[in-house]
Amino acid sequence: MNVQHLNAALLLALSLGTGCVRHAITQDFGLSGIASQRPKAPAAPAIDTSLRAVFKRQTQGAFNLLSDDARVQALQARLKSNSQDVAARLELGGVYESYKLYDTAFEQYREAVQLSLSDGATAEQAIAGLSRSARASRRPADAIAPVETLVWQRPSAVYWNELGLLYQAAGDLGKAEIAFAQAATLNPESDRAYNNLGYNLLLENKLQAAEAEFRKALELNPSSKTARNNLATLLARRGDLEGALEEFQLAGGAAAAHNNLAVVLLEMGQYERSREELVKALAIRRYFAPALTNFKLVQELIRERAELQKVGRLPLTAVRVPSALVALAQTAPPAADASSPDQQGIAGQKDSEDKQ
């Protein structure tokens, strides 16, 4: 199997928990080589040239954000009459985010941050939007400086958390760890703060420290599926498959738990054990779509590895199996709504601050 195709399939197929599997919509063109017995339909009459031009205008640029969304027009009118209207900038940034215009949203949030420094609650909202749009547009470094400035001027758990998310997105896990630790210190009742710190420690391969943070999060909020799945993933990586399965089951159903454990084992390269877990998942739920998709995938990986062993050489490019959460993060950028989860990473999840 072509490695590029395999990676693309992984991003769409893997789903942790009860996540959705995307199905391609295909059309049945009949059996190859057999002519259709249906009589041919008469040719459609030619469309009048003027009507054709109208249809073309309707299909090309059928929706224009600047002229067709009444919210955008109203908010831009407000800003034209008063450029200091922070609420309008925040709302406009949210609208742009909803259309996935993250760069445009980023500019609105950046202006809002400068205008809202005297209002703590509004500044936190602006910083959260700035962080989301910066990470969604793959430019976290552009947002770090203003957030750092605000953190030192007026420290808060929200600012430290967003700074941690930005450091992490920029690849600086050391600074991200410090930022998340500060957020947990300033808000010790937040299970999300401990989960975010634990997730960063997991990325740093500090498993013992990460486990402690996940357990703190679960002490505060036993119903947190995010922390529960992260702990399960950590236990599986450490070799405690029974403990991992138990945690996965507490977060979801039995079939989903076996599928999730299979995903982690697949990522670790343990294809046969992964297949065993998928068989168990399908025995519980016969048509469980994620398990069916992952079963086909692991079968293909086992076959490919066997062929490579026969020819006695390794592939030129190593096949890296991303986790389901990576796939979700790459196919679904953070939403404009602050209640949605933040970016998800390798076999783990981090949450946004308590205002979710």
Side-chain angles (χ1 to χ4, degrees), residues 1 55 74 80 114 127 152 162 234 239 246 275 308 336 353:
M1 172 183 281
F55 293 152
K80 188 174 181 179
Q114 298 300 320
I127 286 293
W152 295 116
E162 296 301 334
L234 184 150
E246 181 179 349
R275 181 172 58 183
L308 290 172
E353 194 44 62

Side-chain angles (χ1 to χ4, degrees), residues 285-345:
R285 289 178 60 182
R286 185 175 179 183
Y287 298 109
F288 188 34
L292 285 169
T293 301
N294 289 335
F295 186 82
K296 293 176 183 178
L297 174 63
V298 76
Q299 287 286 82
E300 180 64 20
L301 289 170
I302 290 172
R303 183 196 63 77
E304 186 177 78
R305 186 173 62 184
E307 290 180 356
L308 290 172
Q309 290 173 346
K310 285 181 181 179
V311 299
R313 63 180 178 83
L314 295 175
L316 296 177
T317 305
V319 177
R320 179 186 180 278
V321 181
S323 74
L325 293 172
V326 169
L328 290 177
Q330 293 179 350
T331 58
D337 182 1
S339 66
S340 63
D342 277 297
Q343 181 185 0
Q344 300 167 331

Side-chain angles (χ1 to χ4, degrees), residues 64 69 170 261 298 341:
N64 185 298
D69 192 316
L261 181 56
V298 76

Side-chain angles (χ1 to χ4, degrees), residues 70 115 156 163 292:
L115 296 170
S156 79
L163 186 58
L292 285 169

Side-chain angles (χ1 to χ4, degrees), residues 219-230:
E219 286 177 9
L220 290 169
N221 182 12
S223 64
S224 172
K225 292 184 179 181
T226 300
R228 187 77 64 186
N229 282 335
N230 286 344

Side-chain angles (χ1 to χ4, degrees), residues 12 37 42 49 54 83 87 115 136 143 167 196 219 248 291-292 300 347:
L12 295 176
Q37 301 301 314
T49 305
V54 172
S83 62
L115 296 170
Y167 280 141
N196 284 1
E219 286 177 9
F248 276 135
L292 285 169
E300 180 64 20

